[in-house]
Amino acid sequence: MKERIRIAICEDDQAEREYIRSLVLAWGEENEKSCQVDDYASAEQLIFSFDNQFPYSLYLLDIQMGQVSGMELARKIREKDKTAVIVFLTGLKDYALEGYEVGALRYLIKPVREEELFALLSQATEELATRQEVFFVLEQGSEVLKISYEDIWYLESSGHYIELYYDNQKIQWKASLGSVQKEFEQNGFVMTRRGTLLNLRKIAKVGRTECILDNGKCVAVSRSQYKKVNEAFIEYYRHRN
């Protein structure tokens, strides 16, 4: 069975839009990928089609469009979806810093060439395989709570309970930290001291006695765990880069 990929093309030039669409479909046939390709003449058309939701895995966005630019559209996509791959189509090379801000995979300089687009689509599908969002699932009575590991800051034991902090919220349930430690460590967390597991993605700086998080909060690091935390932090960012 062919792998299915949902792709959106947002380009205000009709001829260019139809040309890119034909290339994407040709790439799909050549690589045995089932591609659902939808094209839009403006950022507004894409936004309003799904009521400000963004259901695609890959976005090919013209930067210079009407009232809403491709860069502004990319920011809106990132607010809703951290894992989609974004590629910019442009006649200019002056957007590198802004592209970094929204996690753009690459730029394609127009006019788009077949070999460049084919190579980029292959790279994008490989990237998508590494970006699949993974969730921590907690069952509490009849309720099931699903939280992306990306959104969790840290969790710690409090008596016979675990307290988990994510976004601006906290949840608590009765269990030992040891019962979930392995699961969280496999998903990018490290123990900073007895009773605390911290998300490596959220660390801004590792010190000998504390970690400073991206939101400015400090989490204590025990003397015995400092080396392990520091090595895990370095390895995480070396792998990510």
Side-chain angles (χ1 to χ4, degrees), residues 64-91:
Q64 295 174 296
M65 293 188 286
Q67 292 186 336
V68 180
S69 71
M71 194 64 68
E72 291 174 284
L73 174 58
R75 293 191 183 101
K76 290 181 180 294
I77 292 169
R78 276 289 173 257
E79 289 174 4
K80 301 288 186 179
D81 188 343
K82 297 182 180 70
T83 63
V85 170
I86 295 173
V87 173
F88 288 120
L89 311 173
T90 179

Side-chain angles (χ1 to χ4, degrees), residues 190-192 198-200 202-222 225-226 229-230 233:
V190 64
M191 184 163 282
T192 62
L198 179 59
N199 192 342
L200 288 164
K202 303 295 190 182
I203 300 175
K205 181 180 179 182
V206 175
R208 289 195 170 272
T209 60
E210 64 184 13
C211 287
I212 300 173
L213 307 189
D214 292 334
N215 63 358
K217 183 176 177 61
C218 297
V219 174
V221 177
S222 69
Q225 286 296 109
Y226 166 72
V229 172
N230 193 47
F233 179 66

Side-chain angles (χ1 to χ4, degrees), residues 10-102:
C10 196
E11 161 66 64
D12 59 1
D13 184 284
Q14 182 177 351
E16 184 77 9
R17 189 169 67 248
E18 292 175 354
Y19 172 63
I20 293 170
R21 177 187 175 86
S22 69
L23 289 182
V24 172
L25 292 172
W27 171 85
E29 286 297 319
E30 185 175 301
N31 292 273
E32 298 187 341
K33 308 287 186 184
S34 176
C35 299
Q36 176 187 327
V37 185
D38 298 325
D39 52 88
Y40 302 89
S42 68
E44 295 92 329
Q45 184 186 8
L46 194 159
I47 292 167
F48 296 144
S49 292
F50 297 97
D51 192 23
N52 209 33
Q53 299 299 313
F54 300 98
Y56 297 97
S57 301
L58 170 62
Y59 295 85
L60 304 174
L61 308 180
D62 181 19
I63 289 184
Q64 295 174 296
M65 293 188 286
Q67 292 186 336
V68 180
S69 71
M71 194 64 68
E72 291 174 284
L73 174 58
R75 293 191 183 101
K76 290 181 180 294
I77 292 169
R78 276 289 173 257
E79 289 174 4
K80 301 288 186 179
D81 188 343
K82 297 182 180 70
T83 63
V85 170
I86 295 173
V87 173
F88 288 120
L89 311 173
T90 179
L92 303 172
K93 300 181 180 180
D94 303 331
Y95 295 95
L97 188 60
E98 290 182 275
Y100 177 78
E101 173 194 333
V102 296

Side-chain angles (χ1 to χ4, degrees), residues 27-192:
W27 171 85
E29 286 297 319
E30 185 175 301
N31 292 273
E32 298 187 341
K33 308 287 186 184
S34 176
C35 299
Q36 176 187 327
V37 185
D38 298 325
D39 52 88
Y40 302 89
S42 68
E44 295 92 329
Q45 184 186 8
L46 194 159
I47 292 167
F48 296 144
S49 292
F50 297 97
D51 192 23
N52 209 33
Q53 299 299 313
F54 300 98
Y56 297 97
S57 301
L58 170 62
Y59 295 85
L60 304 174
L61 308 180
D62 181 19
I63 289 184
Q64 295 174 296
M65 293 188 286
Q67 292 186 336
V68 180
S69 71
M71 194 64 68
E72 291 174 284
L73 174 58
R75 293 191 183 101
K76 290 181 180 294
I77 292 169
R78 276 289 173 257
E79 289 174 4
K80 301 288 186 179
D81 188 343
K82 297 182 180 70
T83 63
V85 170
I86 295 173
V87 173
F88 288 120
L89 311 173
T90 179
L92 303 172
K93 300 181 180 180
D94 303 331
Y95 295 95
L97 188 60
E98 290 182 275
Y100 177 78
E101 173 194 333
V102 296
L105 178 66
R106 273 184 52 193
Y107 291 80
L108 280 185
I109 303 300
K110 295 192 288 186
V112 173
R113 293 175 12 182
E114 178 179 317
E115 60 270 25
E116 290 181 348
L117 181 59
F118 277 28
L120 183 142
L121 290 169
S122 296
Q123 181 186 358
T125 54
E126 291 176 5
E127 182 71 18
L128 280 169
T130 69
R131 291 190 183 188
Q132 295 305 309
E133 200 165 9
V134 183
F135 295 89
F136 171 63
V137 179
L138 176 64
E139 296 184 32
Q140 292 186 299
S142 59
E143 294 184 356
V144 178
L145 185 63
K146 188 173 77 169
I147 308 169
S148 171
Y149 286 104
E150 294 273 351
D151 296 332
I152 299 171
W153 290 87
Y154 64 95
L155 60 161
E156 58 188 1
S157 59
S158 177
H160 297 293
Y161 290 83
I162 296 174
E163 293 181 345
L164 183 150
Y165 297 83
Y166 69 105
D167 294 336
N168 294 316
Q169 302 180 63
K170 179 181 81 170
I171 58 171
Q172 183 185 70
W173 71 99
K174 193 171 184 178
S176 68
L177 197 65
S179 66
V180 297
Q181 180 177 345
K182 184 177 180 180
E183 176 182 353
F184 275 84
E185 287 178 340
Q186 289 173 340
N187 286 282
F189 286 70
V190 64
M191 184 163 282
T192 62

